[in-house]
Amino acid sequence: MEPSLQTEVRSASEEAAAMAARLVLDGQPVAVPTETVYGLAADATNAEAVARIYAAKGRPSFNPLIVHVPDVTAAQQLGAFDAAALSLAEAHWPGPLTLVVPKKADAGIAPLVTAGLESIAIRVPAHPVMRMLLEMAGRPLAAPSANASGKISPTSAAHVKASLDGRIALILDGGQAKRGIESTIIAATDGTLRLLRRGPIDVPGALASDDARIEAPGQLSSHYAPGKPLRLEATHAEADEILIGYGDVEGELSLGRDPVTAAARLFAALHEADASPHPRIAVAPIPGDGLAAAIRDRLRRAAAPRP
């Protein structure tokens, strides 16, 4: 993404948070402090808003994103908490703990947020500025670290400005992040507690996960892939294929005509194609750099032979 915006840094105040909330509701990401690191927050129910996070960060992988909510009640509207997960939530929220739980069918979260998975990563942040933004926006917020892909996580507004200047409209300056490292991530999806990422909170009894599945940020294996063979760079559908089109290549399904729209539609289109009666899936070429390259990378992972 070429810098094209005038990035404003504003001291975190009620007026500045209201401005940030308006941008969020307009589908734009904003940088906001949390107690861990600065996050790049967007409306988690708006797929194109979430795609703009990836566009601003550069050429990322489509890992699941953490969804930030104001309290445990809001978290339970998005995910299913067993007794162990609920106990952790009540003990450590608000705070730097992320819980990965089964996603509820009616959660209303954009598929891009969860990378097409049936689990969801949720956190209730403690930082007053992030909490103010959550209250004013009235939406769950997806918020990875507010830095260009591959760069060091930001712990100040100056770090964000150096990394994302011209790529986002607003940075809320709430001073230095207190913790300076990302949240602990615990998965509670199968009756056990599994440690997916170490962080500020130690959870006794959580088993270090050696599972190859991607469930949360900070893991490196393959992501959700359809159960059907996937052919890339397709300009037409073979007799047994459903074609996911892009740009001038028309298909039964479409990713649109620009990378932001394509990223927003990617996982929903893959799920729909996987559920279709066609035994194979074809996807049109996605030319370009930045976000388009990230989409191609995600598709190559989805098309890779299973071990």
Side-chain angles (χ1 to χ4, degrees), residues 96-133:
L97 174 69
T98 295
L99 292 173
V100 178
V101 296
K103 178 170 63 70
K104 288 190 172 179
D106 60 351
I109 297 299
L112 187 58
V113 172
T114 60
L117 300 174
E118 295 306 316
S119 58
I120 184 170
I122 307 176
R123 185 163 91 86
V124 175
H127 197 287
V129 178
M130 182 59 147
R131 294 187 62 79
M132 184 162 49
L133 179 59

Side-chain angles (χ1 to χ4, degrees), residues 13-28:
S13 63
E14 189 170 338
E15 180 183 0
M19 178 182 176
R22 289 193 295 272
L23 285 167
V24 165
L25 293 175
D26 195 38
Q28 300 298 320

